[in-house]
Amino acid sequence: MNWTLALPEIVLACIGMATLIFGVLRKQDSTLLCTMFTIGGFVIAGFLVYTGNYGFGFHGQFVADPFSAFNQVLILSGAALSTILALDWNRTQGIARFEFPVLMLFSTVGMMIMASASNLMTLYLGLELQSLALYVLASFARDDLRSSEAGLKYFVLSGLASGLLLYGMSLVYGFSGTMDLASLHELLVQPTSASPGLVVGIVFVLVGLAFKVSAVPFHMWTPDVYEGAPTPVTVFFATAPKVAAMALLLRVMGTSFASLVGAWQLLVIIVSICSMLLGAVAAIGQTNIKRLMAYSSIGHMGYALIGLAVGTSSGVRGVLIYMVIYVFMTAGTFGCILAMQRKGKAVEKISDLAGLASNDPMLAMVLTVFMFSLAGIPPMSGFFAKLYIFLAAVQGGLWTLAVVGVLTSVIGAFYYIRIIKVMYFDAPAERFDARPASLSFVVAATGLFTGFFFLFPAPFVSAAQAAAAVLFR
Amino acid sequence: MITAILFYIFTAILLVSAAMVVSARNPVHSVLFLILAFFNAAALFLIAGAEFLAMILVIVYVGAVAVLFLFVVMMLDVDFAQLRGGFQRYWLVGATVGLVLFAELAIVLGGWKLAPNAIHLRMSPVPTGVSNTEALGRILYTDYVFLFQTAGLILLVAMIGAIVLTLRDRKTSRHQNIEKQNARTVVETLEMMSLTLGAGTTESGGYLRPKLPEVAPVEEHADAGGHGHGH
């Protein structure tokens, strides 16, 4: 049975339920306390993941290995950062309720289960737990038309993707007789034994998961949902679920279908190239900074998918490092976006940033660091993320991907640098409201990570190396 | 022999009531026929030896789902005649699609062969020596307990979501005040009066309504804070 392997998930879920009961029973507004409990839960779960044992639990439905631990710690940090950012924003926007952190917590439990899934059923249930909480979070500002629309849109499209995923899983099960990822791997050691039905099933699974990481051509929901959802929820959307979905994609393709690389590699290459191109080109015309970040995240997922397309453990290592750097720089950028408030009202236009350098030089400097990093300019962390990915692509002989990646990075640099230009060279607009301390903390921490990653990459690289060694054996 | 007779009886009733579900004019009758169909299907499960499924079918489908349907049908003002209006126009298309689907099903089932070894490859073979309730329980609560609990969490999140997105504490919403209910005495709420034979309360001087509460309920609940939703 070995249920102790799932201790982080169990403890986190129990903390979530206790927080919920506390919030319901307490008569006063308990948003602050519940948020603190949730963050405490994330810290405890992170500690348990870090100190936990490795192995298979629950008759092979659950696995704890370096790969799952790496992703879970990353998911927990992404979730903790967005929970901190949500606290003050929700209060000023009048949507502060204690269910918000509780839903984030349950969504995180789902993501942790996704990272540890070693059975298609576990994978699906984790995914649904995560998505269901996300639908509610997206429409959390229920009196705001855009937020409700975002929630509904995400619900319908994500439900469709879940259906496709489920259909693919049923095909895989029907044509192979097992839902266990390890057994699937054994079954497919000779790629010739794969029936066409199984390959069709794999394609459906790939499509369903590509939707969750919002890769082109399954990205349509991303800009609208990013724009409509309350900004802290957008931070959450852009960080933790992306890591979880990418972990799923890597695990499914890297363990069970690893021998069938030939069958799905081309598909991943096409998706990756399309995502990079769209991310670079479509973001140019955007005036809303949240939409811009949505297209930027689509592009980044395209870069990360290069590592999967390579289909080696060095490629997986590249993806994992990319996700670490992506989570921190995205959370930081959104932290800066959350600071864009005038008289308690949030503003989202890029032109609202005009002259930020003279109004708030610190914020402008940190945002500049993030923009350089997103564009992939050394010595910011974003450069190293792309470096490891392109290195893997070149080693794997996928020159096309590396070349397209470099070209789209150059195109993408245009709109990132345009934001810096707006901040530093345009006539100053009205000042933003004073930043809350929690926001400054998150922005400073992620800014330091992004700016000084080049000084201490070794622990991250070696952890990613150990995690990646589990896949594509 | 008796099993075979019972089987045909239940099957016949099942088919007839299923046909009645779609053809009955009154939607309430449709739901009642649906319940009858569920009961007969449960009986068929019993004959097949799946007593747990039979009971679940009765409890879940008859007890919850069908009653829910009944409530929906009776409470919502759905004009079924209008809904059925399209039937005359589209019955040919519908019949064609149905025929094609039926033919496909027939072809698939006709060409279906079970591999001789397939029966041994099932993930959860039918165990011998235990009732199927126990066998299902073992699978659900022992082998797949992790998935079972995760599914439970999903339902919990769905419940939280439904409450978060729809529950609003209006000033006019009336909450149950248990303390106050318990503090009520008979003297405050009931008035004993003796009536003459053949006369109603109106003739005997009228029914005195209980004393009105000192504070109007509207204001009283505005400051009650609701159920933890401080907003």
Side-chain angles (χ1 to χ4, degrees), chain B:
Chain B
M1 180 60 194
I2 293 178
T3 338
I5 295 171
L6 282 177
F7 173 78
Y8 284 114
I9 293 175
F10 286 130
T11 318
I13 302 178
L14 175 63
L15 288 177
V16 170
S17 51
M20 289 304 286
V21 172
V22 284
S23 59
R25 286 206 167 274
N26 188 334
V28 178
H29 293 175
S30 287
V31 177
L32 292 177
F33 274 115
L34 189 67
I35 293 174
L36 184 63
F38 281 145
F39 267 113
N40 282 286
L44 289 182
F45 273 131
L46 268 185
I47 291 173
E51 72 272 2
F52 184 74
L53 273 184
M55 293 309 136
I56 282 294
L57 194 71
V58 171
I59 293 170
V60 175
Y61 279 87
V62 179
V65 177
V67 172
L68 184 75
F69 278 170
L70 205 56
F71 270 107
V72 169
V73 164
M74 298 202 311
M75 296 181 88
L76 295 185
D77 187 21
V78 183
D79 189 355
F80 284 89
Q82 197 187 2
L83 281 181
R84 216 172 273 139
F87 184 75
Q88 272 88 13
R89 257 196 297 163
Y90 297 116
W91 72 271
L92 202 62
V93 182
T96 318
V97 171
L99 206 67
V100 170
L101 271 181
F102 185 77
E104 282 176 350
L105 267 179
I107 293 167
V108 166
L109 290 180
W112 190 43
K113 283 197 297 286
L114 196 65
N117 291 331
I119 203 84
H120 304 295
L121 290 173
R122 284 168 302 170
M123 286 177 104
S124 309
V126 182
T128 49
V130 293
S131 69
N132 62 48
T133 311
E134 196 182 336
L136 275 174
R138 274 188 198 165
I139 293 174
L140 206 55
Y141 302 123
T142 308
D143 296 350
Y144 290 102
V145 64
F146 184 72
L147 303 182
F148 182 76
Q149 294 292 345
T150 313
L153 274 186
I154 295 177
L155 292 180
L156 175 69
V157 167
M159 202 166 76
I160 301 173
I163 294 173
V164 165
L165 293 182
T166 56
L167 182 73
R168 283 172 198 275
D169 255 0
R170 291 196 181 81
K171 288 212 162 193
T172 50
S173 58
R174 297 183 174 192
H175 296 289
Q176 185 183 22
N177 190 338
I178 297 169
E179 276 171 38
K180 213 171 148 211
Q181 277 184 342
N182 286 339
R184 267 154 64 115
T185 56
V186 179
V187 184
E188 283 176 46
T189 46
L190 288 182
E191 188 188 350
M192 304 303 284
M193 57 197 306
S194 43
L195 299 178
T196 48
L197 209 63
T201 47
T202 350
E203 284 96 69
S204 314
Y207 172 68
L208 293 178
R209 298 199 65 87
K211 274 174 275 176
L212 285 168
E214 295 81 41
V215 195
V218 175
E219 281 125 29
E220 181 190 343
H221 292 295
D223 57 313
H227 292 286
H229 291 272
H231 55 86

Side-chain angles (χ1 to χ4, degrees), chain A residues 54-388:
Chain A
Y54 295 141
F56 286 91
F58 298 101
H59 303 277
Q61 294 154 26
F62 186 91
V63 61
D65 55 15
F67 181 77
S68 74
F70 186 92
N71 282 300
Q72 285 175 341
V73 170
L74 190 55
I75 289 165
L76 285 168
S77 12
L81 287 177
S82 26
T83 314
I84 298 172
L85 286 176
L87 193 56
D88 281 288
W89 168 277
N90 285 0
R91 199 179 299 140
T92 51
Q93 302 298 312
I95 54 169
R97 302 171 71 185
F98 74 89
E99 289 98 339
F100 189 90
V102 173
L103 282 170
M104 278 200 161
L105 186 143
F106 281 122
S107 183
T108 312
V109 174
M111 290 174 213
M112 290 173 71
I113 293 173
M114 283 161 78
S116 290
S118 70
N119 186 306
L120 290 178
M121 278 193 285
T122 321
L123 178 160
Y124 182 71
L125 285 174
L127 192 70
E128 280 305 294
L129 179 57
Q130 173 243 24
S131 314
L132 199 60
L134 287 182
Y135 306 147
V136 182
L137 284 173
S139 44
F140 203 82
R142 56 186 185 181
D143 297 320
D144 180 11
L145 203 60
R146 288 192 310 162
S147 174
S148 312
E149 186 199 327
L152 188 66
K153 206 171 250 177
Y154 187 53
F155 174 63
V156 172
L157 291 176
S158 184
L160 182 73
S162 291
L164 289 179
L165 182 71
L166 212 50
Y167 184 53
M169 278 159 46
S170 74
L171 282 176
V172 169
Y173 178 55
F175 281 94
S176 66
T178 177
M179 289 205 260
D180 191 60
L181 296 187
S183 316
L184 271 172
H185 176 61
E186 279 169 35
L187 198 75
L188 298 173
V189 168
Q190 280 104 27
T192 44
S193 67
S195 59
L198 186 64
V199 176
V200 173
I202 294 173
V203 171
F204 272 105
V205 170
L206 196 62
V207 167
L209 293 177
F211 177 90
K212 304 289 174 184
V213 295
S214 69
V216 178
F218 316 105
H219 65 285
M220 306 295 184
W221 58 278
T222 320
D224 294 343
V225 173
Y226 272 42
E227 189 191 355
T231 315
V233 178
T234 314
V235 189
F236 193 51
F237 266 106
T239 52
K242 290 275 193 301
V243 179
M246 196 52 95
L248 263 193
L249 205 52
L250 288 175
R251 168 132 17 224
V252 173
M253 296 299 154
T255 53
S256 25
F257 306 138
S259 330
L260 293 176
V261 165
W264 52 262
Q265 192 180 33
L266 183 67
L267 207 62
V268 178
I269 291 176
I270 292 172
V271 167
S272 167
I273 289 181
C274 292
S275 304
M276 288 188 288
L277 283 176
L278 187 104
V281 175
I284 291 175
Q286 301 303 325
T287 51
N288 183 307
I289 193 155
K290 277 164 86 179
R291 282 188 89 84
L292 182 127
M293 285 304 290
Y295 283 109
S296 155
S297 87
I298 293 172
H300 282 293
M301 287 304 118
Y303 293 118
L305 282 174
I306 294 179
L308 176 62
V310 175
T312 59
S313 79
S314 85
V316 175
R317 185 191 68 173
V319 179
L320 292 177
I321 298 173
Y322 202 100
M323 293 317 287
V324 173
I325 292 168
Y326 168 79
V327 162
F328 284 102
M329 68 188 178
T330 309
T333 314
F334 274 108
C336 298
I337 296 174
L338 283 168
M340 294 168 61
Q341 295 189 33
R342 288 205 179 104
K343 301 192 183 70
K345 267 187 74 84
V347 289
E348 295 169 355
K349 286 246 166 59
I350 292 175
S351 54
D352 289 318
L353 283 168
L356 188 67
S358 55
N359 288 338
D360 192 347
M362 284 306 286
L363 190 67
M365 197 189 75
V366 182
L367 191 51
T368 309
V369 169
F370 289 130
M371 285 303 143
F372 276 135
S373 179
L374 284 168
I377 292 168
M380 307 308 172
S381 63
F383 167 74
F384 293 94
K386 289 197 172 109
L387 181 70
Y388 285 110

